[in-house]
Amino acid sequence: MTFRRRVFMVLIALVVLIESATFVAVLNTTRSNIFDIAIQQLQSGARVFDSAIENRSRELATGVAILASDFGFKRAVSGGDAPTIRSALANHGARINADLAMFINRDGGVHASTAGIERNSFAFPELLEQNAVGRIVELNAEAMQLVVAPVRAPELIGWVAIGFAIDDALARQIASLTALTVTFLSHAPGEDRVLASTLAETDRQGLTRATEGTTKDSFDDSRILDTGALLGLRHPVPSESSANLEVVLALPLAKVLTAYYELRTRLFVILVLALALSAGGARLLAGTVARPLHRLASAAHRISQGDYGEKVAISGSTELAILSAAFNDMQDGIRQREQRIVHQSQHDALTGLPNRSLVSDRLQYSIAASKRYARQFSILMIDLDGFKGINDTLGHAVGDQVLTRVAESLLERTRANDTVARLGGDEFMILLDESSPQHARTFAERLVDAAEKSVDVGSMKIRIDLSIGIVNFPWHGDTEEELIRRADIAMYIAKATDNSSVAEYQIGQDEEHLRRLSLVNDLRDAIDQDGMTVHFQPKVDLRTNRICAAEALVRWQHPRFGMQSPDEFIDLAEKSGLIRSLTRCVLRKVLLQLRAWHIDGIDLATSVNLSALDLLDENLPDFIAATLTECRLPAAYLTLEITESAVMRDAANARSTMKRLRELGIRLAIDDFGTGHSSLAQLKSLPVDELKIDKSFVLGLPKSEDDSEIVKSTIELAHNMGLSVTAEGVETTACRDLLRQFGCDVIQGYLVSRPLCVEDFSLWIRARLNERDTCMIRPELPAAGPNGVFEDELSTSAA
């Protein structure tokens, strides 16, 4: 049901309710008043009836007195001649219209009567004691008004009685005086009779039924009687009869209620007219209220569908007009806010460039249009190299400014129909509309050249290096998902390529990408399910010719792809966020193995490599301390090797983490020294104990004079700084001897042993244990054989 109809129905219901209540109240009040008036009329009629009967009694008493004093009548009575008395009674009764006349002698017997009633006793002796008083009696099954007067001549010689019948004529006479129907009733035991009445026969029967069973005692006072057709007043009539006599003065209900029925008809007509007028008014009011509300509802529906173009027009100064104005203001506010929300949902908040959502829509459009019109376009996926270092060292505010400058630079170099988007972090994308592969590559190389020029950020000049991956439609894919994925692959290939910052996707690179994704998932499972193993490579102290320590190296035997290169899966672990889990897995394995060897009598200090990301793990020192405690090992058993580049990436955090590790008693070593961009002056501030020279400098010894000078200088400077030096990649005795000559402290490499699994390394160590002294390695270091293993057995004990 519509609002308009509901308003209409409510208004009509209220009008009907109010008018119905008024109608009923007026009719009830009117009916009650009419009945009160009718009853008053009946009561007035009763008084008129009493007065009429009394007047009639007086008239009758006068007539009887005249007869009783008549000389001729007295002479007839004195003669005792009954026929003469009867004739006199008849003549005199005819003169006054009497229905009965009789003479009662002094003995109380009826001596003569016009009705032929002669008996020894008069039926109403009590009337003989009264002087010309009229009473109503029942005589010969008829009601009569009987008046008795004494006859004296001069002494009492008898009584004369004149009777007048209570009949329909009397009832009509009284009815003419009262304007009421008049009915005389007789209540005799077992029978109620109508003696006289102005009513029709059917009404007489109804009246008899209504009064049946009552006695004189039950209506000593006047009572109202409602027969359904008559409204009557039951009025007692004084009588000398054994029967109970009453008169019922009545009005026909139809006559009583005539005014009521007329009023009811008029009120009904008024009610109908009022309802019609109310319906019209309600319809008008409902339309006045509902029509603007309908407009507002329609406008709300339009707004819900995103249509804000049409305003709601409600004129005037009413509340609805004010509401419509407020609604229009709300509509404008919603439109503006939605435009802002849509813009924010489709654009990057920092740079204002389209985001991933909007560029996805534009890319889908470009694909559809290019397919339809046989056009081509290119996608450039751009990543800022080293941006994390800018954020970490210079702060995020500077990083945001760099991103803004890069966005502005990209916009300056693109055409109006191209799309530049920021996908998140330091990753941008350019959709080159109608671009050939040659144009895309040339454009990408110009972007790289432009980015190599420093970006001004405040007072600083920051160099930005870009890595750009290129895909071309339709050669490299025809769906959004394919093109984006392959552009990402090309971009990561560009980042991994040293000699170029731009890479175009090549067919087949998907498989390598999928293989790396599979390796990441499998690496996570291998870490969680103890699928990683640790190999150990021994280290030899050149001064004592003893095995002084070992280096733990993680290995992964993939169930499908075989043994994986540590460089590859460690790089995957760093990029996928698994490096911390991998480092903790290796540390725990190593320390548990050291504990097992310790129980077996082999005490071996071991070094473990840390990733650059491990130095950002604030919880790493706590984990190592807890694991050392669990394995009941002193911290001196563990050396942590940190690459030179890792230390330089975030020197402040690295220094903090290294300091905490050093405070635990753990030795720290700089691994792959010489391959990064640090200096000994920078390393001086770090809490390290050892320097490991990268094998790229050692493998050339003693053939390369440059490498020899570098290694020798490094060893001397490190010793001057109080650091011990370990040379990696020692594979020949000549190299070993030269390092010993330079003063190198420790060597490791294939000359000593290849990295061995735990079982093989345990056998290798046990084969060289000195049965008499299991704590020290004492023999001189022998010459190595062709396979790089010592020719003489080492009677050693791991220290």
Side-chain angles (χ1 to χ4, degrees):
M1 183 181 292
T2 63
F3 176 76
R4 180 176 181 178
R5 179 165 295 181
R6 285 198 298 271
V7 171
F8 176 78
M9 295 300 292
V10 168
L11 292 175
I12 289 299
L14 289 174
V15 171
V16 169
L17 180 62
I18 294 171
E19 292 194 357
S20 298
T22 304
F23 183 76
V24 172
V26 170
L27 288 181
N28 287 339
T29 302
T30 302
R31 184 183 178 93
S32 177
N33 291 336
I34 288 174
F35 270 86
D36 289 342
I37 294 171
I39 290 171
Q40 291 174 7
Q41 185 178 352
L42 291 173
Q43 291 172 344
S44 177
R47 291 192 293 271
V48 172
F49 171 80
D50 290 340
S51 178
I53 292 298
E54 185 178 352
N55 291 336
R56 179 182 170 89
S57 295
R58 285 197 296 270
E59 291 175 0
L60 293 177
T62 301
V64 172
I66 292 172
L67 177 60
S69 62
D70 183 77
F71 178 78
F73 180 71
K74 289 181 179 182
R75 188 175 58 181
V77 171
S78 298
D81 185 6
T84 302
I85 296 173
R86 190 179 298 115
S87 175
L89 290 172
N91 291 332
H92 189 76
R95 287 198 299 270
I96 61 174
N97 296 321
D99 296 306
L100 174 66
M102 65 178 66
F103 175 72
I104 301 99
N105 58 30
R106 287 186 304 176
D107 296 331
V110 178
H111 183 70
S113 171
T114 58
I117 303 173
E118 283 86 14
R119 59 183 68 174
N120 294 329
S121 62
F122 181 52
F124 310 101
E126 63 275 10
L127 294 179
L128 301 178
E129 299 176 0
Q130 301 179 17
N131 185 15
V133 177
R135 289 288 186 270
I136 296 176
V137 299
E138 189 172 359
L139 187 63
N140 293 336
E142 291 184 356
M144 286 194 173
Q145 188 174 11
L146 192 64
V147 180
V148 178
V151 179
R152 301 178 187 277
E155 297 294 330
L156 179 67
I157 59 175
W159 291 270
V160 62
I162 301 298
F164 294 87
I166 302 298
D167 54 9
D168 291 349
L170 177 60
R172 286 193 293 272
Q173 182 183 357
I174 296 175
S176 66
L177 297 175
T178 61
L180 303 172
T181 64
V182 180
T183 302
F184 291 95
L185 292 176
S186 172
H187 298 286
E191 181 184 11
D192 287 352
R193 291 184 301 112
V194 175
L195 301 177
S197 179
T198 61
L199 297 175
E201 185 61 32
T202 55
D203 291 334
R204 294 183 182 191
Q205 293 175 1
L207 190 61
T208 304
R209 286 193 297 270
T211 61
E212 191 173 6
T214 60
T215 65
K216 184 176 181 180
D217 294 337
S218 66
F219 52 87
D220 291 339
D221 299 325
S222 297
R223 300 292 178 91
I224 301 300
L225 178 68
D226 186 354
T227 67
L230 297 171
L231 178 66
L233 179 68
R234 298 172 61 183
H235 189 63
V237 177
S239 70
E240 301 299 332
S241 173
S242 61
N244 296 308
L245 296 179
E246 69 172 323
V247 63
V248 177
L249 304 174
L251 288 169
L253 277 176
K255 182 178 179 181
V256 172
L257 296 176
T258 298
Y260 170 78
Y261 292 144
E262 291 177 355
L263 177 62
R264 184 176 65 179
T265 301
R266 292 192 184 98
L267 285 176
F268 182 75
V269 172
I270 293 172
L271 175 62
V272 172
L273 291 176
L275 282 175
L277 293 175
S278 299
R283 187 179 185 87
L284 179 62
L285 180 59
T288 303
V289 174
R291 195 175 299 111
L293 293 179
H294 178 71
R295 293 177 185 172
L296 291 174
S298 299
H301 179 71
R302 285 189 295 97
I303 291 174
S304 69
Q305 302 299 318
D307 181 6
Y308 306 102
E310 183 179 349
K311 292 184 177 296
V312 181
I314 300 176
S315 59
S317 59
T318 64
E319 287 78 0
L320 289 174
I322 296 172
L323 176 61
S324 68
F327 191 90
N328 290 329
D329 292 341
M330 180 191 71
Q331 177 176 273
D332 293 339
I334 292 175
R335 181 181 65 251
Q336 294 171 6
R337 283 191 294 274
E338 184 170 302
Q339 289 173 349
R340 288 197 299 271
I341 291 172
V342 170
H343 183 272
Q344 291 171 358
S345 68
Q346 296 181 339
H347 292 78
D348 175 53
L350 176 63
T351 63
L353 296 177
N355 60 12
R356 188 179 295 273
S357 174
L358 181 55
V359 81
S360 173
D361 293 341
R362 294 187 180 179
L363 180 55
Q364 291 177 14
Y365 174 80
S366 295
I367 292 173
S370 298
K371 286 181 178 179
R372 183 177 305 155
Y373 302 111
R375 297 189 310 207
Q376 55 191 357
F377 64 86
S378 301
I379 296 176
L380 274 60
M381 195 68 69
I382 304 171
D383 185 78
L384 276 59
D385 297 335
F387 179 74
K388 185 179 184 304
I390 295 175
N391 262 344
D392 293 341
T393 56
L394 301 178
H396 289 279
V398 174
D400 289 345
Q401 293 183 54
V402 169
L403 292 174
T404 303
R405 297 290 186 276
V406 170
E408 293 171 352
S409 176
L410 295 178
L411 285 173
E412 290 172 358
R413 288 167 173 76
T414 52
R415 301 165 298 180
N417 57 336
D418 296 333
T419 298
V420 180
R422 182 188 176 202
L423 303 185
D426 59 345
E427 191 173 41
F428 294 83
M429 186 184 114
I430 299 178
L431 175 60
L432 294 176
D433 191 33
E434 297 188 43
S435 170
S436 65
Q438 295 79 8
H439 172 265
R441 186 168 192 91
T442 301
F443 180 76
E445 290 173 349
R446 286 204 303 268
L447 289 180
V448 171
D449 293 340
E452 289 179 354
K453 300 175 183 178
S454 299
V455 174
D456 293 331
V457 178
S459 59
M460 295 180 292
K461 290 185 176 295
I462 300 176
R463 172 174 170 170
I464 302 298
D465 294 325
L466 303 181
S467 294
I468 303 178
I470 304 173
V471 292
N472 300 294
F473 178 89
W475 298 279
H476 297 149
D478 59 359
T479 66
E480 176 191 359
E481 188 274 332
E482 280 183 337
L483 293 171
I484 294 295
R485 186 183 73 250
R486 290 174 175 176
D488 269 329
I489 292 172
M491 184 266 290
Y492 282 113
I493 291 173
K495 288 180 73 69
T497 304
D498 295 333
N499 57 357
S500 177
S501 296
V502 177
E504 184 177 348
Y505 175 80
Q506 302 297 323
I507 302 300
Q509 289 176 339
D510 263 343
E511 288 74 10
E512 177 60 23
H513 180 68
L514 292 175
R515 189 186 78 85
R516 288 175 66 84
L517 290 179
S518 175
L519 285 177
V520 170
N521 293 329
D522 295 340
L523 178 60
R524 181 180 289 104
D525 294 339
I527 294 172
D528 294 340
Q529 300 171 13
D530 198 25
M532 310 302 293
T533 59
V534 178
H535 288 201
F536 293 86
Q537 186 176 34
K539 299 179 182 180
V540 173
D541 187 334
L542 289 180
R543 291 169 299 180
T544 60
N545 295 328
R546 64 175 180 172
I547 299 173
C548 59
E551 180 178 3
L553 302 168
V554 63
R555 295 292 184 265
W556 181 27
Q557 181 72 29
H558 193 278
R560 285 186 300 152
F561 303 135
M563 182 64 71
Q564 297 300 301
S565 165
D567 292 340
E568 181 178 21
F569 70 76
I570 288 175
D571 179 64
L572 287 177
E574 289 179 338
K575 292 178 178 178
S576 62
L578 296 174
I579 189 62
R580 295 185 180 183
S581 299
L582 178 60
T583 299
R584 295 187 180 205
C585 171
V586 173
L587 283 170
R588 185 170 182 81
K589 281 180 172 291
V590 169
L591 293 178
L592 288 173
Q593 184 58 51
L594 293 182
R595 177 63 186 174
W597 280 336
H598 174 74
I599 295 173
D600 251 356
I602 301 174
D603 294 309
L604 185 66
T606 301
S607 61
V608 177
N609 291 283
L610 292 185
S611 165
L613 298 179
D614 290 324
L615 294 179
L616 304 179
D617 185 0
E618 297 179 354
N619 298 321
L620 179 64
D622 296 333
F623 170 79
I624 294 176
T627 308
L628 286 169
T629 301
E630 178 187 351
C631 297
R632 300 194 299 278
L633 289 174
Y637 273 61
L638 182 63
T639 299
L640 296 178
E641 297 184 5
I642 304 163
T643 62
E644 181 185 6
S645 59
V647 174
M648 293 302 104
R649 177 178 296 184
D650 191 345
N653 287 331
R655 190 178 297 109
S656 174
T657 302
M658 294 170 68
K659 182 179 179 182
R660 291 179 59 194
L661 292 171
R662 193 68 184 84
E663 289 172 352
L664 294 176
I666 298 171
R667 287 174 54 84
L668 299 176
I670 296 297
D671 195 15
D672 300 335
F673 182 77
T675 60
H677 303 285
S678 64
S679 66
L680 290 177
Q682 290 174 312
L683 294 179
K684 184 178 181 181
S685 62
L686 298 176
V688 296
D689 304 284
E690 180 181 347
L691 200 67
K692 296 188 71 175
I693 301 175
D694 188 70
K695 65 181 179 180
S696 61
F697 298 102
V698 176
L699 290 174
L701 296 177
K703 298 179 181 179
S704 172
E705 294 183 1
D706 292 338
D707 289 343
S708 296
E709 289 299 326
I710 291 173
V711 170
K712 180 179 179 182
S713 300
T714 300
I715 293 172
E716 290 176 355
L717 291 174
H719 284 165
N720 291 335
M721 295 174 61
L723 303 178
S724 64
V725 180
T726 297
E728 298 179 303
V730 178
E731 296 183 356
T732 63
T733 55
C735 180
R736 177 199 64 189
D737 293 342
L738 188 57
L739 289 169
R740 181 184 291 153
Q741 178 182 338
F742 291 160
C744 182
D745 301 299
V746 178
I747 63 169
Q748 72 178 92
Y750 287 177
L751 178 65
V752 181
S753 173
R754 295 176 180 272
L756 302 172
C757 64
V758 172
E759 294 77 9
D760 292 343
F761 188 82
S762 298
L763 293 174
W764 189 89
I765 285 290
R766 291 179 190 283
R768 287 154 180 78
L769 286 177
N770 186 333
E771 295 180 357
R772 294 170 299 174
D773 185 355
T774 61
C775 297
M776 299 294 291
I777 302 175
R778 298 193 179 280
E780 293 292 328
L781 191 64
N787 59 358
V789 179
F790 289 109
E791 294 176 352
D792 297 337
E793 289 294 325
L794 292 175
S795 300
T796 62
S797 170

